[in-house]
Amino acid sequence: AQSVTQLDSQVPVFEEAPVELRCNYSSSVSVYLFWYVQYPNQGLQLLLKYLSGSTLVKGINGFEAEFNKSQTSFHLRKPSVHISDTAEYFCAVSDGWDDYKLSFGAGTTVTVRA
Amino acid sequence: DVKVTQSSRYLVKRTGEKVFLECVQDMDHENMFWYRQDPGLGLRLIYFSYDVKMKEKGDIPEGYSVSREKKERFSLILESASTNQTSMYLCASSPGGAGGPYEQYFGPGTRLTVT
């Protein structure tokens, strides 16, 4: 089974500044990658996913992520954050085309300050 | 929109009680999942169901069982609740069949406290 490491547990950031959340996974022949966001008191919702094709993936709310196979990473970025981006972010990995199970990282809490 | 609902947002139970957590999805999804979420540990899969009456153990099934009698409903059962089962429980569903893996859709969660 895959293991997923999110390298930062807490990321404080000022409004309108850029943010990067780091995610590394254990190596596999094929891998499918996801970023989910959890706003306070809510369930998780999908931000973006990489299944194949272009290594730069764009998601909702201005987020994007880059798949780097050689570094087994899938870092999430946003060039300018808003107060409303305050949330917990989870990286998740599936290692089979028909494997519906996801392995999640421990999460990164982003706190955006004015 | 896909909707996944969970029967309770907050639940307080006593040690040794039998606890039922219910989850319903309205999108005719084949797959349903139960996770527990704990600070610093992320989400850990308890059980997974890929069809009615079919189930598969996840990473932490001990102390839990599940039931799926209808496609839209997936229940998590704590046979004898213990304090170390105090946690946030999240249900999710996704389509099945070829062409996966698919996005999982999550419910709002049930925060269970066992005293």
Side-chain angles (χ1 to χ4, degrees):
Chain A
Q2 286 281 349
S3 68
V4 182
T5 303
Q6 291 185 240
L7 294 154
D8 308 290
S9 59
Q10 308 260 356
V11 174
V13 58
F14 286 106
E15 195 173 20
E16 297 182 11
V19 71
E20 178 179 80
L21 308 184
R22 298 178 292 167
C23 173
N24 287 90
Y25 60 91
S26 55
S27 179
S28 180
V29 174
S30 61
V31 66
Y32 308 96
L33 298 150
F34 303 77
W35 275 100
Y36 283 83
V37 60
Q38 185 179 33
Y39 298 107
N41 299 314
Q42 295 185 28
L44 278 70
Q45 65 184 81
L46 184 70
L47 269 180
L48 49 80
K49 61 186 176 186
Y50 171 80
L51 300 182
S52 64
S54 172
T55 57
L56 183 64
V57 180
K58 293 193 182 296
I60 61 170
N61 300 340
F63 284 92
E64 64 181 30
E66 185 151 20
F67 170 55
N68 188 319
K69 189 173 183 178
S70 63
Q71 297 188 4
T72 61
S73 69
F74 190 53
H75 300 334
L76 180 72
R77 300 184 185 96
K78 185 169 182 177
S80 176
V81 295
H82 303 289
I83 299 287
S84 59
D85 292 321
T86 294
E88 190 161 18
Y89 293 80
F90 294 94
C91 181
V93 177
S94 170
D95 61 5
W97 186 244
D98 287 327
D99 186 347
Y100 304 104
K101 291 176 284 186
L102 297 177
S103 298
F104 283 84
T108 298
T109 299
V110 173
T111 304
V112 182
R113 304 170 186 169
Chain B
D1 280 352
V2 176
K3 194 154 186 181
V4 179
T5 57
Q6 295 183 229
S7 50
S8 307
R9 290 301 302 273
Y10 300 94
L11 210 52
V12 179
K13 295 292 183 181
R14 294 191 181 275
T15 302
E17 276 193 83
K18 190 168 186 175
V19 181
F20 293 86
L21 303 183
E22 305 283 341
C23 175
V24 177
Q25 51 96 2
D26 66 357
M27 281 301 291
D28 202 35
H29 285 167
E30 285 78 8
N31 300 324
M32 295 188 76
F33 308 81
W34 274 107
Y35 296 91
R36 66 176 281 175
Q37 180 182 8
D38 299 289
L41 297 177
L43 277 70
R44 293 177 291 167
L45 182 65
I46 304 172
Y47 267 97
F48 159 56
S49 170
Y50 52 92
D51 202 350
V52 174
K53 297 190 187 296
M54 306 304 288
K55 63 185 179 185
E56 199 173 297
K57 290 181 180 178
D59 301 318
I60 52 164
E62 297 78 18
Y64 303 95
S65 62
V66 290
S67 171
R68 194 167 179 200
E69 297 296 320
K70 293 184 178 181
K71 191 174 185 180
E72 67 272 17
R73 190 179 296 270
F74 191 35
S75 302
L76 180 70
I77 303 153
L78 287 65
E79 295 290 343
S80 177
S82 64
T83 55
N84 63 11
Q85 293 178 309
T86 291
S87 187
M88 171 70 88
Y89 290 87
L90 292 169
C91 176
S93 72
S94 77
Y102 298 102
E103 173 186 355
Q104 291 186 17
Y105 295 84
F106 285 82
T110 295
R111 186 165 294 281
L112 173 67
T113 303
V114 183
T115 61

